[in-house]
Amino acid sequence: MKKVLMPLVMVAVLALVPFLGVQYAGLSYLFGVIIPYTAIVVLLAGFLLRLVDWLRRPVPFRIPTTCGQEKSLEWIKYDRFESPHRFWEAAARVLSEVFLFRSLFRNTKAELHKDSNLAYGSHKWLWLGGLAFHWSLLIIVLRHSRFFFVMVPGFTEFLDHADGFLDVTLPTFYITNAVVLAAITFLVFRRLNDAKMRLISLQTDYFPLFLIAAIVVVGILMRYLTRLDIMPVKDQMLRLVNFSFDDPGEIGTLFYVHLFLVSVLAIYFPFSKLMHAGAIFLSPTRNLCNNSREKRHVNPWNASIKFKTYSEYEDNYRDKMKKANLPIEKQ
Amino acid sequence: MSKYVPKLSDLKKEFDEKPSVLKGNYSVQEWWDIPVEFRDGNWCFPGKPEVLEDLGFANPRKWAATDENWQLPAGWQKTISDGLQSRLKKYRSLKLFLDSCVRCGACADKCHFFLGTGDPKNMPVVRAELLRSVYRHDFPLVEKILKGFSGSRKLTEAVIKEWHMYFHQCTECRRCSVFCPFGIDTAEITMMVRELLNLIGVNNNWILAPVSNCNRTGNHLGIEPHTFVQNINSLVEDIEDLTGVAVEPTFNRKGAEVLFITPSGDVFGDPGVYTMMGYLLLFHHIGLDYTISTYASEGGNFGMFTSNDMMKKLNAKMYHEAKRLGVKWILGGECGHMWRVVHQYMNTMNGPADFLEVPVSPITGTRFSNAAATKMVHIAEFTADLIHHKKLKLDPKRNDHLRTTFHDSCNVARGMGMFEEPRHILRNVCNTFHEMPEDTIREKTFCCGSGSGLNAEENMENRMRGGFPRANAVKQVKDRHKVNSLVTICAIDRASLPPLMNYWNPGVSVYGLHELVGNALIMQGEKKRTEDLRENPMAGFEDGGDDEE
Amino acid sequence: MNTVLAKFLESNKKAILQQWLDCALALFPEKMGYSTPVAMVLSGALEKILSGLGKSENDCQEALDDVTRILAVQNFPPSKALSIFLEPKLILRDIMMKTTVAGTLTQEVQEAFNSRFDRLTLEAFDSYMRHREKIYQLKVEEGSRRMYMALRRTEA
Ligand code: HEM
Ligand code: SF4
Ligand code: SF4
């Protein structure tokens, strides 16, 4: 299938570029300094611009999707998080989406029961896979912070230990590496396995999955197979953090591949669906209180329209209204 | 009937040309390669030229969806893309929803139209992609550089046809939005695309005719004031025949405490009128000081299915009339999309309603602080409060001939969040109430399949397909608990569920909630009641039967 | 109908049903998933038809109705919809060629099966048409329900 192969080829080519570039063309400065800087600028600026771009558009109406009882009569218990009434309740609703993927947890699938009656059973695999994927990703990113500080921060140490508690290999084996690969495998197979998913998936859906998988695989190879020397890497990262444009030292080529793919991901991020990471905080169906009858929501561009007034109506129907003994304003 | 029957020769041709089961080649590569086919039963008649002229809408002409040439106005591509641009500027929701979908597929099998038709373009995510693909083409991002990478495509007439088909196979029910991890609401996208389509005269008569009626006469059905009054008066006579009680509604009366507004279907159609009788009995029972307006005589708002401006225009009458009559607050009848408008749009669009007071129930003294700004209370909230304070004399046995289940209407469920009040009422006015399966009620309720102005007769097959998941859930309680009554609080439901039940579950009738209230109310000075409001015999109250009264 | 046939159907029910259901689901624009309500109802009904088949005096009417009720409102023509009743013959032939039991099914039994399905196809056609007519009837009824009060006034 073209739409799966194309992104796969693209990732492979992207991985090859720095390999050739550094190994044969000696472009370590380009791949070690210029591209990472560019990438980080594009990521930060792009992300910010996209956010600002969204934020400057008004939210004309208060349209939360209510997934639970509204606050109405006092003796009826309302659902704080599915039909929030106060700001902090709406905030909790959004955060539960961000950290727990609450709406995905609701996922159902129709199922046939023994008595040939149809029921909609819960279907939690996507939720689980998605959660595993994102949380591992987050922990991996946080773990990497040890490369960016001279003194390794305490929480990074903690993560390191917690993540590596299965101390079976040398260097320590991280659970998250395995989890993230398993989760990506699941997410890709999920797209291939089901007719519906095959149909809705685009190249741009496979691409980030393959790209992230490639980053992880290269990272693992670096760590366990080629036993990359960490110190020059850390030196280089520290230099980058300190806005230094010095030449990188001697580092294994594989590292450049890793760094380049991360750079590609960073550049790709603001222009793609990966911006869902920002969008989820702004979604008007989730982050607004369901209290539009209690407090007036103001629409900044409230369109002015002309409607048919009562007096026009009475002018049209005065005789008929009189006949029906309806009170009228003008005789 | 001949009009709707497909011609044999056409069928033969189609059978020969189309990929078929027997040939085993049903699977297509990409969704945009699947052709769009209008055939009887899957599209609604377009707006009549005179209706469009009356409304001042674009491109009035005679046409049909099955035409080869849709006579789109010159420069329509620009109209659409400018229209899209300006809406993207005005609605953060639209921009966000177009930008942030990850195509995770969580919404795919949640849409009743997809479940009922199996048509992949009825998956909410694909429905949104119909617009998104054009948006991506028009608003180039880096993704577009890599052609084919992100599935973008040009805006062509074929795309317009596709939009017309599939944005009129979405009932704006928001079920998909419940399951989407980002809350992407395909209903919002449908509303925007319908606005765009209206800009170039691609439309639906079943929506536009009521809009024009409502604009002219004050209600969708185009009932003029004297007829409106006559109708209600004949219901008053019916009530007197049945119960011996003379209820006395007033019309356009200044100085009443409450203005009551309900969808005109309740005044005109069967079985809505029985719900109306229920309201009238209730108001009489508690001695409410209320009036009904012939000008603001429509609770529903088909403008919502046309454009937000039209929604605002039709809705404006409510406050305008409340102000003129000098009432304290507004009470609203049972309706779905009416309440989406009232709850989420009215005060923003046509408020602030400073001339009204915070609603207080004159009977119980309850202050409806949840409606403090909009100043409009839902009748189910109002009645639930009355029952909670034991202000109603009810005999639930009078509904013993009904074994009920409750259909949550999409808009009330997912656009307002009212679940408990109607259930509280239902439990108090009847003895047998069984819920449908858990994943088909409350916020996960299935649409009737005819919402958002799709309940045109010519669209019947589509409606039967779209309503299938709902009907199937009813069938389960019918089989398991012998349920014979589907109770609902929506005027579109009252119109569209009867045929749906008749087709899939014969033997199940459709009731408005306040019809059951009306049955159960023990009115002061009533005569012995043996029949319900539909003049059906009540179980255990037969003439000469031994009831305890 | 015939105990040999009944036995054969019983032991191959699962395979036949699966293939038959696949054909039915493939009628839909993109093959309908197994876990959709439509597939559920179809699978239940097809099973009832099949298990009723081997027995004598079987009445599959209700199950038949369930199937045609779904087919009659779909976007495809009757010829295509009813083609699913032609499938079982082919499926049966396929299965018999593969199984050893095949030998025990005589020509006669096969013909009985086929003629039973021919009859079923005709019955399905009737049932399909009944549902089509129901649709027209619904349209008329709906119109008059909508105009209920107007009609009442003109009658009065
Ligand atoms: C605020 C942070 C984020 C939240 C709440 C979030 C949430 C989600 C959710 C709910 C999904 C859909 C379920 C799934 O397919 O797993 C998803 C998909 C996805 N997310 Fe995130 N995400 C976040 C950040 C990120 C980041 C930083 C990345 C990548 C660098 C990322 C990459 C992806 C990818 C690739 C998918 C698609 C998975 C697939 O194709 O099946 N997300 N995200
Ligand atoms: S659930 Fe939301 S993010 Fe997932 S495919 Fe549907 S609309 Fe897109
Ligand atoms: S709003 Fe309802 S009808 Fe429209 S796509 Fe979503 S689930 Fe389907």
Side-chain angles (χ1 to χ4, degrees):
Chain A
M1 263 168 90
K2 186 166 157 261
K3 55 184 184 186
V4 189
L5 288 180
M6 273 300 288
L8 202 58
V9 169
M10 280 160 68
V11 171
V13 169
L14 286 172
L16 220 56
V17 168
F19 187 77
L20 298 177
V22 175
Q23 191 88 318
Y24 299 104
L27 294 173
S28 58
Y29 191 74
L30 176 68
F31 289 100
V33 179
I34 298 178
I35 289 178
Y37 269 136
T38 318
I40 201 78
V41 168
V42 170
L43 174 66
L44 292 180
F47 194 89
L48 218 69
L49 278 177
R50 289 299 298 271
L51 275 190
V52 169
D53 183 36
W54 283 330
L55 282 168
R56 83 194 155 86
R57 289 161 213 264
V59 180
F61 303 110
R62 185 157 283 241
I63 51 164
T65 309
T66 54
C67 303
Q69 172 66 32
E70 65 167 347
K71 180 164 187 328
S72 55
L73 298 164
E74 238 138 62
W75 47 275
I76 293 177
K77 197 163 159 288
Y78 79 102
D79 194 329
R80 283 176 194 283
F81 303 116
E82 298 290 18
S83 199
H85 176 248
R86 292 279 168 252
F87 172 77
W88 70 266
E89 293 165 352
R93 188 184 196 195
V94 172
L95 290 180
S96 73
E97 295 287 1
V98 172
F99 291 111
L100 303 172
F101 295 7
R102 191 183 168 94
S103 287
L104 265 191
F105 190 71
R106 263 193 278 266
N107 207 1
T108 56
K109 195 174 164 189
E111 276 170 5
L112 189 60
H113 284 214
K114 270 201 210 74
D115 52 355
S116 92
N117 262 326
L118 176 68
Y120 298 84
S122 73
H123 186 65
K124 307 260 185 276
W125 286 109
L126 174 58
W127 171 79
L128 199 67
L131 217 56
F133 170 71
H134 284 84
W135 274 105
S136 317
L137 217 55
L138 179 67
I139 293 173
I140 291 173
V141 168
L142 290 179
R143 264 206 281 108
H144 278 68
S145 67
R146 72 197 158 104
F147 294 112
F148 299 97
F149 298 100
V150 186
M151 299 296 298
V152 178
F155 85 99
T156 311
E157 291 248 32
F158 167 75
L159 276 182
D160 234 78
H161 283 298
D163 199 356
F165 81 95
L166 274 185
D167 211 342
V168 287
T169 56
L170 203 77
T172 319
F173 175 79
Y174 291 119
I175 316 276
T176 44
N177 291 349
V179 173
V180 84
L181 281 184
I184 291 178
T185 312
F186 166 74
L187 290 175
V188 172
F189 272 99
R190 197 180 70 88
R191 285 193 184 276
L192 294 173
N193 203 21
D194 180 89
K196 292 195 294 294
M197 292 305 297
R198 273 200 302 276
L199 200 74
I200 65 177
S201 301
L202 302 171
Q203 294 188 26
T204 144
D205 296 317
Y206 292 105
F207 179 72
L209 286 173
F210 292 152
L211 187 59
I212 294 170
I215 294 172
V216 177
V217 168
V218 174
I220 291 173
L221 287 181
M222 233 158 49
R223 190 173 159 84
Y224 302 104
L225 230 63
T226 62
R227 294 287 172 85
L228 192 84
D229 188 1
I230 303 279
M231 284 333 283
V233 172
K234 179 153 181 170
D235 282 350
Q236 174 56 15
M237 286 299 125
L238 282 173
R239 247 176 287 172
L240 287 182
V241 172
N242 290 319
F243 300 105
S244 147
F245 283 87
D246 292 347
D247 239 335
E250 267 309 297
I251 313 178
T253 321
L254 221 42
F255 168 73
Y256 287 100
V257 176
H258 190 64
L259 189 62
F260 180 71
L261 291 180
V262 172
S263 304
V264 171
L265 182 65
I267 292 171
Y268 178 73
F269 199 99
F271 304 100
S272 66
K273 69 168 194 176
L274 296 182
M275 277 306 291
H276 66 277
I280 195 167
F281 292 94
L282 302 185
S283 183
T285 54
R286 292 289 187 272
N287 73 1
L288 291 169
C289 295
N290 179 27
N291 64 354
S292 37
R293 262 193 301 156
E294 182 175 340
K295 275 206 201 86
R296 179 158 189 257
H297 177 90
V298 177
N299 174 0
W301 52 262
N302 199 5
S304 73
I305 50 106
K306 221 176 94 31
F307 65 95
K308 187 158 174 181
T309 61
Y310 174 79
S311 50
E312 289 171 78
Y313 169 85
E314 193 181 291
D315 288 347
N316 281 355
Y317 293 112
R318 187 162 294 112
D319 291 341
K320 287 171 175 167
M321 290 175 76
K322 272 190 199 163
K323 250 194 231 146
N325 286 329
L326 286 167
I328 43 174
E329 301 261 335
K330 274 191 282 184
Q331 282 307 313
Chain B
M1 107 172 222
S2 62
K3 185 165 174 317
Y4 296 103
V5 181
K7 281 195 220 73
L8 249 179
S9 53
D10 291 349
L11 298 183
K12 176 83 174 61
K13 192 164 138 260
E14 172 165 346
F15 188 60
D16 290 342
E17 286 171 4
K18 273 190 76 170
S20 85
V21 210
L22 303 167
K23 298 176 199 155
N25 52 352
Y26 47 80
S27 182
V28 204
Q29 288 273 301
E30 304 286 1
W31 59 257
W32 50 84
D33 294 332
I34 306 173
V36 175
E37 244 187 302
F38 289 94
R39 44 186 306 145
D40 285 338
N42 76 1
W43 57 281
C44 302
F45 297 148
K48 296 204 175 95
E50 58 273 21
V51 169
L52 265 68
E53 272 151 20
D54 179 45
L55 290 168
F57 273 24
N59 201 11
R61 69 204 182 285
K62 271 202 151 56
W63 67 289
T66 42
D67 291 352
E68 190 62 39
N69 178 1
W70 281 18
Q71 309 165 50
L72 299 180
W76 62 268
Q77 284 101 334
K78 186 161 161 31
T79 310
I80 294 276
S81 58
D82 289 354
L84 180 56
Q85 277 281 14
S86 87
R87 278 161 188 78
L88 283 166
K89 286 211 185 79
K90 288 188 338 196
Y91 296 90
R92 186 187 297 169
S93 52
L94 179 62
K95 175 84 176 152
L96 268 176
F97 293 164
L98 288 178
D99 283 344
S100 59
C101 174
V102 299
R103 284 166 296 278
C104 70
C107 59
D109 54 356
K110 305 302 182 286
C111 177
H112 51 282
F113 273 113
F114 175 65
L115 290 174
T117 60
D119 187 336
K121 288 185 200 170
N122 272 326
M123 290 190 261
V125 41
V126 177
R127 200 187 309 286
E129 288 286 312
L130 299 181
L131 174 62
R132 215 174 266 131
S133 53
V134 171
Y135 158 80
R136 276 191 297 249
H137 185 85
D138 266 20
F139 303 85
L141 298 172
V142 167
E143 290 193 6
K144 201 204 130 192
I145 299 170
L146 308 158
K147 223 176 168 205
F149 186 66
S150 58
S152 61
R153 58 178 181 168
K154 268 214 185 87
L155 181 61
T156 60
E157 192 163 339
V159 171
I160 294 295
K161 290 183 175 176
E162 196 176 42
W163 283 5
H164 183 52
M165 168 91 105
Y166 291 101
F167 289 106
H168 286 102
Q169 282 186 40
C170 165
T171 49
E172 305 180 358
C173 78
R174 310 186 103 197
R175 191 169 194 266
C176 45
S177 161
V178 169
F179 295 91
C180 173
F182 311 110
I184 293 174
D185 182 7
T186 310
E188 191 74 4
I189 292 176
T190 298
M191 289 164 85
M192 291 296 136
V193 175
R194 289 199 190 172
E195 281 197 14
L196 293 176
L197 289 176
N198 268 304
L199 296 179
I200 58 169
V202 175
N203 46 32
N204 171 347
N205 197 56
W206 189 255
I207 298 175
L208 291 189
V211 166
S212 139
N213 281 337
C214 190
N215 185 40
R216 199 177 63 251
T217 64
N219 56 65
H220 290 157
L221 298 170
I223 316 169
E224 300 192 334
H226 54 296
T227 319
F228 190 84
V229 173
Q230 262 177 23
N231 272 344
I232 294 190
N233 283 338
S234 57
L235 295 179
V236 169
E237 283 163 26
D238 287 0
I239 292 176
E240 185 156 10
D241 289 347
L242 276 165
T243 67
V245 178
V247 301
E248 289 157 343
T250 61
F251 300 93
N252 299 3
R253 174 167 64 91
K254 285 194 177 174
E257 182 172 358
V258 174
L259 170 63
F260 178 66
I261 302 179
T262 198
S264 58
D266 288 356
V267 179
F268 217 63
D270 169 16
V273 289
Y274 306 113
T275 310
M276 188 73 199
M277 289 159 81
Y279 303 141
L280 296 174
L281 280 166
L282 174 73
F283 299 155
H284 186 83
H285 186 80
I286 58 174
L288 187 71
D289 177 16
Y290 74 105
T291 193
I292 298 171
S293 166
T294 60
Y295 162 70
S297 50
E298 177 61 65
N301 191 331
F302 270 40
M304 184 185 182
F305 312 139
T306 311
S307 71
N308 281 341
D309 286 354
M310 193 45 86
M311 180 203 309
K312 178 174 174 177
K313 181 171 170 145
L314 298 187
N315 174 261
K317 292 177 181 173
M318 289 195 187
Y319 278 155
H320 181 64
E321 181 71 339
K323 189 171 183 179
R324 183 185 75 89
L325 295 176
V327 299
K328 288 188 181 156
W329 52 279
I330 311 173
L331 182 62
E334 299 176 4
C335 183
H337 73 287
M338 156 182 175
W339 272 97
R340 173 103 202 269
V341 176
V342 170
H343 186 76
Q344 296 196 325
Y345 296 94
M346 174 151 95
N347 199 14
T348 300
M349 285 180 156
N350 290 314
D354 298 332
F355 44 89
L356 298 175
E357 293 174 14
V358 176
V360 172
S361 168
I363 320 302
T364 64
T366 300
R367 191 170 175 277
F368 292 95
S369 58
N370 64 321
T374 300
K375 282 135 178 156
M376 184 150 173
V377 174
H378 193 291
I379 184 107
E381 294 167 342
F382 183 71
T383 306
D385 174 63
L386 290 170
I387 292 178
H388 182 70
H389 287 92
K390 308 213 164 27
K391 297 292 183 191
L392 300 184
K393 274 202 234 158
L394 295 165
D395 182 1
K397 282 214 295 295
R398 289 182 183 174
N399 282 317
D400 274 356
H401 58 307
L402 309 179
R403 302 177 61 85
T404 66
T405 188
F406 183 71
H407 164 68
D408 288 282
S409 313
C410 317
N411 283 295
V412 173
R414 291 182 282 259
M416 183 175 177
M418 191 169 75
F419 302 103
E420 294 306 331
E421 288 92 339
R423 286 178 168 77
H424 183 75
I425 298 172
L426 193 54
R427 286 196 192 94
N428 278 281
V429 299
C430 77
N431 288 319
T432 328
F433 164 43
H434 293 282
E435 290 276 18
M436 283 180 266
E438 195 194 338
D439 287 313
T440 70
I441 54 168
R442 294 180 183 261
E443 76 276 8
K444 294 179 193 149
T445 185
F446 275 119
C447 180
C448 61
S450 304
S452 81
L454 303 187
N455 52 329
E457 280 154 31
E458 66 272 16
N459 198 29
M460 189 61 84
E461 284 88 337
N462 231 352
R463 293 164 51 193
M464 293 300 117
R465 293 194 288 262
F468 175 71
R470 171 38 83 220
N472 193 249
V474 174
K475 183 166 190 305
Q476 291 186 36
V477 276
K478 179 181 178 236
D479 291 349
R480 211 171 295 159
H481 304 291
K482 302 198 181 63
V483 160
N484 61 11
S485 311
L486 181 57
V487 180
T488 167
I489 48 170
C490 171
I492 291 185
D493 281 334
R494 283 194 283 276
S496 70
L497 286 175
L500 189 75
M501 288 302 115
N502 201 338
Y503 188 74
W504 296 106
N505 303 317
V508 177
S509 313
V510 178
Y511 289 81
L513 181 61
H514 277 77
E515 180 180 349
L516 269 67
V517 173
N519 283 341
L521 274 176
I522 304 172
M523 303 295 290
Q524 201 180 8
E526 70 179 9
K527 63 181 193 189
K528 182 167 157 49
R529 282 163 74 175
T530 57
E531 289 177 336
D532 67 7
L533 296 177
R534 294 186 186 189
E535 302 179 27
N536 289 333
M538 304 196 286
F541 291 84
E542 295 79 7
D543 271 329
D546 52 339
D547 73 69
E548 73 254 86
E549 274 168 279
Chain C
M1 189 188 334
N2 183 311
T3 47
V4 186
L5 181 60
K7 239 190 182 150
F8 178 84
L9 285 180
E10 196 53 48
S11 52
N12 290 288
K13 193 161 140 191
K14 237 183 147 167
I16 300 179
L17 202 61
Q18 187 61 41
Q19 288 187 41
W20 198 11
L21 183 64
D22 278 347
C23 296
L25 296 181
L27 285 169
F28 292 84
E30 178 70 1
K31 187 176 164 183
M32 187 71 107
Y34 292 116
S35 53
T36 57
V38 169
M40 298 300 157
V41 172
L42 282 179
S43 114
L46 295 185
E47 181 174 359
K48 266 188 216 143
I49 294 177
L50 210 57
S51 50
L53 210 60
K55 300 175 194 119
S56 57
E57 287 305 306
N58 112 76
D59 185 4
C60 336
Q61 196 53 50
E62 201 182 317
L64 211 53
D65 276 348
D66 285 347
V67 176
T68 54
R69 194 179 288 122
I70 289 178
L71 297 178
V73 291
Q74 296 307 325
N75 235 343
F76 36 81
S79 54
K80 186 172 169 191
L82 294 175
S83 68
I84 68 162
F85 289 98
L86 305 176
E87 289 297 307
K89 291 190 210 166
L90 304 178
I91 297 173
L92 187 81
R93 204 188 53 201
D94 258 20
I95 288 185
M96 282 199 309
M97 291 203 299
K98 284 185 205 129
T99 48
T100 45
V101 203
T104 66
L105 268 196
T106 58
Q107 186 76 19
E108 200 184 338
V109 175
Q110 267 188 65
E111 263 162 28
F113 179 87
N114 287 353
S115 80
R116 182 76 189 87
F117 257 93
D118 288 342
R119 216 160 352 109
L120 208 63
T121 310
L122 295 177
E123 283 168 28
F125 186 74
D126 282 350
S127 170
Y128 184 95
M129 285 318 288
R130 265 201 307 282
H131 286 114
R132 290 302 309 164
E133 271 163 34
K134 181 91 169 247
I135 292 284
Y136 309 125
Q137 187 197 333
L138 290 179
K139 293 181 191 187
V140 174
E141 279 176 16
E142 176 162 75
S144 57
R145 247 202 318 273
R146 192 172 292 132
M147 305 303 291
Y148 175 67
M149 292 304 280
L151 293 175
R152 227 173 76 162
R153 263 204 321 279
T154 46
E155 274 166 23

